[in-house]
Amino acid sequence: EYGKQWYQRRVRGVKDDQSKVKLELGMINSAFHGVSVPHTAAQPLLELLKEVWDPLKAVLVLWSTDEVIIDELTKCYWHAINTLGPLFDPYIEPLVDMLCQCYEKHQYACLLESCAQGLLNIYSSEKPDLIAGMLQRLSNTTFLLFSRAMSDHPDIVQAFFFSPLVCSQAQPQIVYRRESNCKAVLRAAMTAITMQEYHTVKEVSRWLVEFIGHYPSSNTVRRPSPLSLHS
């Protein structure tokens, strides 16, 4: 009965107290995170995902301005992906679009981290076009933020360079595709490396090492000259 009431309240867009919504998301998160089953035996959890999908979408829209709630929500998605494996595949494209839309309006580090952990790490080899398109959308939004005041957002800088770092390690060729904004990301790294925050600079440095180490040697990819990075 409580489940039916919760479903109806979330789908109707009823905005309860933050603590109540956070508790509900924690319960859903625990359902996916608290079990260890083979993907072939995860059908009950897939049914759970089907039931909570629309309410979770409603939470994403209604609470998009609350970073605490969005952080809890992305954990639900991440643990669902990790637990369900291939059973989550039908949901991956709409999820990418929803998270990108939210990030375009509200630049939260947790959205970048979720994309890196749950999407890049798992789907970069299976769905390279989808992941490359996601990187482009995320980077375009991030560059707009950086153009205004990169130094005011060390958490975003750190999370942003963690995303292509994961991609470099899992599926390096995606990073160098045109739609992944390779040159623009490198320009941003050259600026971010001068920031004061230790952990931010450390993350950027790690990305640069991966970027240089995995740079394609193929003649089909032209290595940018130092001058071209400033053009």
Side-chain angles (χ1 to χ4, degrees):
E1 184 63 30
Y2 177 79
K4 290 181 180 178
Q5 292 178 1
W6 174 81
Y7 179 90
Q8 292 169 356
R9 289 176 68 80
R10 292 295 156 261
V11 172
R12 290 204 313 267
V14 177
K15 191 166 185 177
D16 290 316
D17 292 338
Q18 185 204 63
S19 58
K20 183 176 182 180
V21 177
K22 186 177 179 181
L23 176 63
E24 292 169 349
L25 292 175
M27 293 168 62
I28 296 172
N29 193 14
S30 296
F32 289 112
H33 185 47
V35 295
S36 178
V37 296
H39 300 325
T40 53
Q43 190 64 32
L45 291 175
L46 178 60
E47 294 301 318
L48 173 63
L49 177 64
K50 291 177 181 178
E51 288 198 17
V52 302
W53 181 258
D54 285 339
L56 292 182
K57 283 171 61 179
V59 170
L60 182 63
V61 173
L62 194 62
W63 289 87
S64 62
T65 58
D66 191 315
E67 187 171 4
V68 173
I69 294 297
I70 297 301
D71 187 26
E72 290 297 318
L73 180 60
T74 57
K75 290 176 184 176
C76 291
Y77 290 131
W78 158 237
H79 287 126
I81 291 171
N82 200 39
T83 299
L84 293 173
L87 294 176
F88 194 93
D89 286 0
Y91 296 90
I92 189 62
E93 289 193 26
L95 177 60
V96 166
D97 186 54
M98 289 190 304
L99 294 181
C100 286
Q101 283 189 44
C102 186
Y103 185 72
E104 285 161 2
K105 296 177 181 177
H106 308 285
Q107 289 78 56
Y108 299 143
C110 64
L111 289 170
L112 292 173
E113 291 163 356
S114 176
C115 288
Q117 293 176 355
L119 302 176
L120 284 172
N121 206 24
I122 295 175
Y123 289 98
S124 57
S125 59
E126 297 177 20
K127 298 181 181 291
D129 292 337
L130 177 68
I131 295 305
M134 181 188 75
L135 282 174
Q136 183 180 42
R137 291 180 67 177
L138 295 175
S139 59
N140 285 343
T141 301
T142 304
F143 294 149
L144 286 175
L145 182 69
F146 287 174
S147 67
R148 294 193 292 268
M150 177 186 283
S151 60
D152 292 341
H153 304 281
D155 58 330
I156 298 295
V157 175
Q158 185 172 338
F160 175 72
F161 281 98
F162 179 64
S163 297
L165 173 66
V166 170
C167 197
S168 294
Q169 294 169 337
Q171 198 76 2
Q173 62 267 32
I174 291 180
V175 174
Y176 307 101
R177 293 173 62 164
R178 181 182 298 275
E179 55 267 41
S180 297
N181 292 333
C182 165
K183 189 186 293 188
V185 176
L186 186 54
R187 284 200 206 99
M190 293 296 97
T191 302
I193 202 76
T194 65
M195 294 178 67
Q196 300 297 315
E197 290 77 11
Y198 169 78
H199 292 291
T200 301
V201 173
K202 181 180 178 181
E203 204 65 60
V204 177
S205 300
R206 289 177 63 204
W207 177 81
L208 282 168
V209 169
E210 291 289 333
F211 178 86
I212 295 170
H214 285 109
Y215 204 95
S217 58
S218 170
N219 293 329
T220 60
V221 180
R222 184 172 62 86
R223 184 183 298 272
S225 69
L227 291 177
S228 71
L229 296 177
H230 300 284
S231 60

